[in-house]
Amino acid sequence: MALVIRPLEQRDFQNGFLEILASLAEVRLTPEEAQRIHQARVLAGVVTVVAEAEGRVVGTGTLLIERKFIHGGGVVGHIEDVAVGSDQHGKGVGSELVRHLTDLARQAGCYKVILNCRDAVMPFYIKLGYRRHDNGMRYDCVEKG
Amino acid sequence: MALVIRPLEQRDFQNGFLEILASLAEVRLTPEEAQRIHQARVLAGVVTVVAEAEGRVVGTGTLLIERKFIHGGGVVGHIEDVAVGSDQHGKGVGSELVRHLTDLARQAGCYKVILNCRDAVMPFYIKLGYRRHDNGMRYDCVEKG
């Protein structure tokens, strides 16, 4: 399977991107709404990539770059929302996405890249050079129904 | 001690802010360099607050707001770089900072607020309504000397 990792484009909102994301959480966006959100994210310096195979989006991931005061004004990469289509698991799509996002972070001068994951996914990230560093804590602003 | 939590201002770069941050990691910034970084962070939608007591900066914390595609284009708050002066520990400065940043996130419409911390600091965040959710993973782009 020829796999290409490239930046998200407008046409992807009608080519599988929103369906892939829905494996993470509900999306509820029209392609037009998604395009407006994409523009806001680009302005904020957020990079969204997709994995494309045979003309179809089969995975996605996001790199958010945060400028710090510490580390001499250094930058940190946050990897967010890595998702792969359920029919594509085990083909290395997720690994390619994370390697690509980690490379983008390094090219942007990040001194570290961080991400959060559940216990079951830790071995996947450890194989890619990540190590467990601390705990992800969460506060829900909206009570779950 | 009368404590005020307010947005970071330019004068804070010469009023203890950079020294407080240095308790987290090296800073190596002149006030002028810090001001340029602050402007870039504001443009990216990053909110930095300080705790002021008796005219001096005694703590700081940051809220980064991330627009998602998931959750109907919802926003997530990331709390980063909470620091309190070593002579101010145990006075509730950290709690006030985190409560304030969590409130700011709620007001901004965030459906959740997330942050990462070491094991020893977990009880502090649990008291403030946070719960452990997952693992913080890290990749170092630069080998440590």
Side-chain angles (χ1 to χ4, degrees):
Chain A
M1 179 175 72
L3 193 71
V4 177
I5 313 287
R6 58 163 177 78
L8 174 68
E9 297 174 12
Q10 185 166 351
R11 63 188 166 98
D12 297 321
F13 299 127
Q14 288 168 309
N15 190 29
F17 171 73
L18 296 173
E19 291 73 14
I20 298 285
L21 268 184
S23 67
L24 296 178
E26 49 170 358
V27 175
R28 295 193 322 264
L29 293 177
T30 65
E32 294 71 27
E33 289 166 339
Q35 174 62 15
R36 280 197 294 276
I37 289 168
H38 182 42
Q39 287 165 349
R41 283 163 56 97
V42 168
L43 286 176
V46 175
V47 178
T48 313
V49 300
V50 297
E52 183 182 310
E54 296 167 1
R56 202 164 56 91
V57 174
V58 295
T60 179
T62 286
L63 178 68
L64 189 159
I65 291 179
E66 176 199 7
R67 170 73 59 182
K68 297 274 195 193
F69 288 111
I70 56 175
H71 292 278
V75 284
V76 168
H78 297 248
I79 291 183
E80 298 280 339
D81 300 339
V82 175
V84 174
S86 56
D87 57 339
Q88 303 288 326
H89 287 174
K91 298 181 181 174
V93 177
S95 300
E96 283 307 304
L97 281 163
V98 174
R99 273 197 209 101
H100 187 94
L101 293 169
T102 306
D103 284 345
L104 286 181
R106 190 188 289 108
Q107 288 160 24
C110 292
Y111 63 90
K112 69 173 179 181
V113 189
I114 58 176
L115 59 87
N116 281 26
C117 72
R118 300 288 194 142
D119 291 354
V121 195
M122 277 180 54
F124 167 77
Y125 285 110
I126 289 169
K127 269 188 209 162
L128 295 167
Y130 284 76
R131 62 187 166 85
R132 187 179 182 285
H133 181 257
D134 52 17
N135 303 285
M137 307 293 288
R138 171 177 178 148
Y139 180 100
D140 290 297
C141 296
V142 184
E143 294 300 316
K144 284 189 176 167
Chain B
M1 178 176 70
L3 194 71
V4 178
I5 313 286
R6 58 164 175 79
L8 174 67
E9 297 174 12
Q10 185 167 350
R11 62 186 167 98
D12 297 322
F13 299 126
Q14 287 168 310
N15 191 28
F17 171 74
L18 296 174
E19 291 73 13
I20 298 285
L21 267 186
S23 67
L24 296 178
E26 49 169 358
V27 175
R28 295 194 320 265
L29 293 177
T30 64
E32 293 71 28
E33 288 167 338
Q35 174 62 14
R36 279 197 294 277
I37 289 169
H38 183 41
Q39 287 165 348
R41 283 162 56 96
V42 167
L43 286 176
V46 174
V47 179
T48 313
V49 300
V50 297
E52 182 183 312
E54 297 167 359
R56 202 164 57 91
V57 174
V58 296
T60 179
T62 286
L63 178 68
L64 189 158
I65 291 179
E66 177 199 6
R67 170 72 59 182
K68 296 274 196 191
F69 287 110
I70 55 175
H71 291 278
V75 282
V76 168
H78 297 247
I79 290 183
E80 297 281 339
D81 300 339
V82 175
V84 174
S86 56
D87 57 340
Q88 303 288 327
H89 287 175
K91 297 181 181 174
V93 176
S95 299
E96 284 307 305
L97 280 164
V98 174
R99 274 198 207 99
H100 188 94
L101 293 169
T102 306
D103 284 346
L104 285 181
R106 191 190 287 106
Q107 287 160 26
C110 292
Y111 64 90
K112 69 173 179 182
V113 189
I114 57 176
L115 59 87
N116 281 24
C117 71
R118 299 290 193 140
D119 290 355
V121 194
M122 277 180 54
F124 166 78
Y125 285 109
I126 289 169
K127 271 189 207 158
L128 294 167
Y130 284 76
R131 62 187 167 84
R132 186 178 183 285
H133 182 258
D134 52 17
N135 304 286
M137 306 293 288
R138 171 176 178 148
Y139 179 99
D140 290 298
C141 296
V142 185
E143 293 301 313
K144 283 187 179 168

